[in-house]
Amino acid sequence: MATMRAARLNLSTGTLSVEDVEKPAPGTGEVLVKVEAAGVCLSDVHLVRGYFAKPRLLVGDTVTLGHETAGTVAEVGPDVAGWKPGDRVVLQAGEIRDGQVWTRGVDYDGGWAEYALARQDTLVALPDAIPFEQGAIIPDAVSTPWGAITTTAHVGPAQSVGVWGIGGLGAHGVQLLRAIGACPIIAIDPSPAARERALAFGADLALDSADPDLRAAIRDATGGAGLEFAFDFAGVTPVREQALKVLAPGGKLVLVGLSGQPITIENSTKFQSAQFQLLGHYGSPQEAVGQLIRLEAAGRLDFARSISGVMGLEEAVEAVERLEKKVGDPIRIVLRPAA
């Protein structure tokens, strides 16, 4: 039996360990990908720490983590068309099975391994010009804010936007909002380093969420109108409460960061009379990854600054700890099996 190394999470015990497992073989319509890079997401941290309920679609108690994956095609199964060994690819963060969304690295084995199995229709070609590390983070770290901005919220040019939480999702959210012409883009984060990052990524203004004059500053920046859109990339209850207080009439609060906490509307009459909207967002449409790859390949977007560190697969446990404790204030840490 051929084996490979994989970072496996036991959901019953909360134990994450890198161990030898059976190397999968591609079945009909499947492709085996040699993993070259896999992103470490805050959602992975939350899954390891037990902040989320056990995935209801997962069979068993153990899963290989990793929903951000790039690599090269190693083998193709029967009836696979359009892919051959050596092709550079990015794996979608999930797939649809019988009308349900299955998330890679959550509901089935992901990319924190030497090899990953993927359905052929979940692969997207990665041009030679884009490094594997940058390609790997496009599913989720980039495609999730892209979907939230373009598909869920439908933000247009010159519309005012607030971005709460300038981490792995929010930093890309700022960059993408800049690309589509939103204005002003106001970043809100308690971390000075995160606020500096927001300005570097294209924010017009970066504010401290703990500033008692925050509301006035946002009103001034929007000509007294308030925000047309507020994005919660942090998944924190105080963010949602704060954002609702600075929305313009008809403004939309878009929930992107996952928290599992109840949503409370302090003043429902004001919420209704101001015609606020509360929008939930998860993942991204299937075409988003391909769109973003084309934009980066054309030089419209640059994800080089997003790679805060590259670590070996054997260091997966340490990578989770670094992201959780914000060591070095990372945007994305990437695991490489060959590192």
Side-chain angles (χ1 to χ4, degrees), residues 197-328:
R197 174 193 302 150
L199 294 172
F201 273 57
D204 298 293
L205 183 65
L207 302 173
D208 185 347
S209 56
D211 186 347
D213 295 324
L214 175 69
R215 187 173 182 178
I218 291 176
R219 293 290 177 184
D220 288 345
T222 58
L227 297 170
E228 293 172 83
F229 299 90
F231 287 88
D232 172 18
F233 287 111
V236 179
T237 298
V239 163
R240 298 164 179 182
E241 296 172 348
Q242 190 173 66
L244 283 172
K245 294 176 181 177
V246 293
L247 284 181
K252 300 176 182 179
L253 171 58
V254 187
L255 309 183
V256 186
L258 302 176
S259 71
Q261 298 301 309
I263 299 170
T264 301
I265 297 173
E266 183 178 330
N267 188 330
S268 61
T269 300
K270 180 180 178 180
F271 186 95
Q272 292 171 259
S273 62
Q275 297 185 14
F276 292 151
Q277 295 183 50
L278 183 65
L279 303 175
H281 179 81
Y282 183 79
S284 59
Q286 187 170 5
E287 65 271 17
V289 172
Q291 291 170 343
L292 292 162
I293 287 175
R294 290 195 296 275
L295 287 168
E296 184 177 17
R300 299 290 186 90
L301 297 170
D302 179 12
F303 304 135
R305 295 172 296 176
S306 303
I307 309 303
S308 304
V310 178
M311 303 176 69
L313 175 63
E314 301 293 331
E315 300 173 289
V317 174
E318 182 182 347
V320 167
E321 292 177 353
R322 284 192 185 185
L323 185 59
E324 182 179 32
K325 297 176 181 178
K326 298 183 178 181
V327 177

Side-chain angles (χ1 to χ4, degrees), residues 41 81 83 105 132 143 145 198 202 219 251 265 270:
C41 175
W83 302 107
F132 285 114
S143 67
R219 293 290 177 184
I265 297 173
K270 180 180 178 180

Side-chain angles (χ1 to χ4, degrees), residues 53-59 100-102 106-107:
K54 178 187 173 183
R56 62 185 179 84
L57 300 174
L58 177 67
V59 177
Q100 291 186 305
V101 177
W102 290 60
V106 178
D107 299 308

Side-chain angles (χ1 to χ4, degrees), residues 20-41:
D20 290 320
V21 299
E22 183 176 358
K23 178 182 174 182
T28 301
E30 293 181 327
V31 174
L32 184 67
V33 174
K34 181 181 182 296
V35 177
E36 297 291 347
V40 181
C41 175

